[in-house]
Amino acid sequence: MNKHTDQPAAENPEKLSDLKVTEPKQWAAGIPAVYEAFKDVMAETGPLRGMGALLKMNQKGGFDCSGCAWPDPDDDRSPMAEYCENGAKALAEEATTKKLTAEFFAQNAVADLAGLNDYEIGKKGRIAQPVYLPADATHYQTITWDDAFKKIAGKLNSLASPDEAAFYTSGRTSNEASFMYQLFVREYGTNNMPDCSNMCHESSGTALTEVIGIGKGTVTLNDFYHTDVIIIMGQNPGTNHPRMLTALEKAKKNGAKIIAVNPLHEAGLTAFKDPQTVKGFLGVSVKLADIYLQVNINGDMALIKAIEKLLLDAEKENPGEVFDLGFIKDSTVGYDELVKDIEQQDVSKLCQTAGVPLEQVKEAAELLKNKHRIIVCWAMGITQHLNGVDTIKEITNLVLLKGSIGKPGAGLCPVRGHSNVQGNRTMLIWEQLKDNEAKKLKEIFGFDPPKEKGYDTVEAIKAMHEGKLKFFFAMGGNFLSATPDTDYTANAIRKLDMTVHVSTKLNRSHLVHGKEALILPCYSRSDRDIINGVEQIVSCENSMGVVQQSKGVLKPISDQFLSETQIVCRLAKTTLSHKTVVDWHKYESNYDYIRDVIAKVIPGCEDYNNKIRQPGGFYLPNGPREGKFKTEKYGDKAAFSVTKLPDHKLAGDEYMLTSIRSHDQFNTTIYGLEDRYRGIHDERRVIFMNEKDMQNAGLKAGDIVDLFNYHGGIERVARLFVVIPYHIPERNTAAYYPETNVLVSIDSVAAGSNTPVSKRVVIKIKKHTPPI
């Protein structure tokens, strides 16, 4: 096994003895969440720095949390705590006073740092100055910003074609930096812009664009307060979007019912103790899920089809009472074809495939039967499947049948997992450029953008392997730990001539690198950004299409930081030199100038500078939210889709594995080793299994096993996982990522979106034997 990739420090059986297991929680948040949040902030920042920043996080005129993309309330924001436990931990990570100086890099070889696990790497501190790793060197060494830009520019200008370079984007990047980044990349001459959306909600964007005309959700936060039913599918809000719990609590108080659909029983879908209320502070919880449908991994499409069949039967008994026939007639196409497909379905077989008892499915259908204000939420548990695009189309079918779109309290809600990942795409971060977008860029800036489609994330990794890419630039993120097929991806990265990462903290992607490597330290979201004496603001877009300003409040711990926007502009000036037609110096000097051109290029962003300075920002246009559809294939109609169920056959010794987050992490950032909601403490290499499966396999709690995947005839292995009995369906298992990414084949992708299939990995489980 490659010792740089699959968490080598964890490959010590003695370390696994630190694991402690307790009973899973039946509720989320409460006083423990407050304690854990403040504990991290105090440890990393101290009381004055940390608490002062928390009071400004997610507030109007403050800075946007760098964690999830859940929206802020339009009006009733808490003056004390408009953040969650994991948001506070995200702040602690970036606001830490620990920094990595020249001495740190001189004392720590890359190979030694690579021997640490991701948690240990991330806790080292902020990178305090640019560093450079020469070819064949063992240690990063400091480098000036000018020399760093010259080295990068020299490499870019030496390539045989701009298409030998790829430029990745992480969700944290602001709208201003994103816009200038894509402008630089396209003036340089390529559309190779893979981004983190390729690995998460690309399936949502692909499906929704085709059937309703926009690749975003259609609801606002206020819709949650006026709905009848909320369906939460493939999402664990208690860990991944904790502030959503407050919205769910308010919805419940207003009479809404909640249907939870998930393979694991999760505390954050069961009950919520709001620490900002007297009852929550005293330990009184609010029940969330009224119906909990514990589906098989990727049983969601079968479940939705079963509900649709039951609703169709009810509609036939009472025409026009169950389906919104007026809406269907006026605003959709494909209804008759869908009905024919539904009529052929066998509800009993669908329930068996979904793994949900028929009586529970009937209960859910009965709840939905006479309701027309329905919101369906989903996240990675839906998108990261082979049939992810089609499952989202099936979810849309249900919403269209009920006419639950384009009205208050109803619609589609793909919940984005990273702050401003949606804004990146709005600002044209994509491996494709539409004709009207290219025309606008040429009109405003005077150059012809490239027309050919570039590489997405999976395509970029394969191109590295094949030698088609020589250079890789990452604007934020932890590319290696976020991507599939870890060993394959690591080997691909090592074939590159140069890798460059714009980062705040050290991560594994800095330690698995090209022949040369650079790390460029940037401001965090909470850092003050002052240029020529003027305090700058940036802007971000949340999951519901609200764009608002973000202004850092903390003094940076190093005078060597640059903003992402400054890095892009200075690199562009150095690389393109006299060839450029863009005034990069102007845009670097004041971000208002950037917003002036965003206003001319991006629809809905007219008068951008003024709009983002309004308290709470502004909503981008969203036709389907208003009941207006404009699709490429169907004109002014939304489209029903006929989908095909996936094949879930398993061999006798195979299981389905879904990757999950611990409660103590955000994406690839590991805050700690405590997953208290699931009762896992001081260890991450665990696999949750059904007790009957354990008995049949001759396994018991605490056994150490190795996990194997054989997709495409290639053996992939993740070693040393502790077996944990858990409330999960038979033949279903779950384990944390990025530790399990090594099992996800680079060739296992969602049809239509090319998103890696991380939520249904077919594995075999064997008792651990040391590798030969």
Side-chain angles (χ1 to χ4, degrees), residues 511-541:
L511 310 175
V512 177
H513 49 77
K515 295 180 181 66
E516 295 178 88
L518 293 102
I519 311 173
L520 308 179
C522 66
Y523 291 130
S524 68
R525 192 74 65 73
S526 57
D527 285 330
R528 286 203 303 265
D529 181 2
I530 300 174
I531 301 175
N532 298 325
V534 178
E535 197 166 16
Q536 302 295 312
I537 62 173
V538 295
S539 55
C540 304
E541 177 184 347

Side-chain angles (χ1 to χ4, degrees), residues 585-642:
H585 180 74
K586 172 183 173 182
Y587 298 123
E588 176 192 359
S589 67
N590 192 310
Y591 307 160
D592 278 354
Y593 295 126
I594 301 173
R595 288 183 283 270
D596 285 341
V597 289
I598 288 175
K600 297 177 181 178
V601 175
I602 306 299
C605 289
E606 299 80 7
D607 197 24
Y608 195 51
N609 265 309
N610 288 326
K611 283 182 178 179
I612 66 160
R613 286 179 165 87
Q614 299 302 311
F618 68 98
Y619 283 89
L620 287 169
N622 190 308
R625 182 177 290 160
E626 301 171 2
K628 301 173 183 177
F629 306 100
K630 188 176 181 181
T631 60
E632 187 173 331
K633 291 175 64 176
Y634 310 108
D636 61 353
K637 307 286 186 180
F640 287 104
S641 308
V642 175

Side-chain angles (χ1 to χ4, degrees), residues 17 28 32 69 124 153 209 216 243 444 483 551 578 637 721 733:
S17 64
K124 292 297 181 185
T209 298
K216 303 179 181 182
R243 285 201 299 155
I444 301 300
T483 47
K551 182 169 68 174
H578 63 280
K637 307 286 186 180
F721 282 73
T733 66

Side-chain angles (χ1 to χ4, degrees), residues 7 26 105 143 213 349 481 484 495 510 539-540 547 577 581 643-644 670 680 686 720 725:
Q7 303 283 344
Q26 299 303 313
F105 288 103
I143 186 172
K349 289 183 178 178
S481 291
K495 293 182 178 182
H510 306 141
S539 55
C540 304
V547 181
S577 189
V581 295
T643 63
K644 183 179 179 181
I670 313 302
I680 304 300
V686 299
L720 287 171

Side-chain angles (χ1 to χ4, degrees), residues 77 104 145 286 393 593 596 601 603 605 624 634 669:
R77 299 189 190 185
F104 171 87
W145 277 106
V286 173
K393 289 181 179 179
Y593 295 126
D596 285 341
V601 175
C605 289
Y634 310 108
T669 301

Side-chain angles (χ1 to χ4, degrees), residues 161-165 167 182-192 447-452 576:
S161 163
D163 289 329
E164 290 186 338
F167 299 84
Q182 66 81 29
L183 189 68
F184 161 56
V185 172
R186 290 190 163 110
E187 191 181 18
Y188 173 67
T190 185
N191 281 322
N192 288 342
F447 70 90
D448 283 304
K451 296 181 174 59
E452 298 77 14
L576 303 175

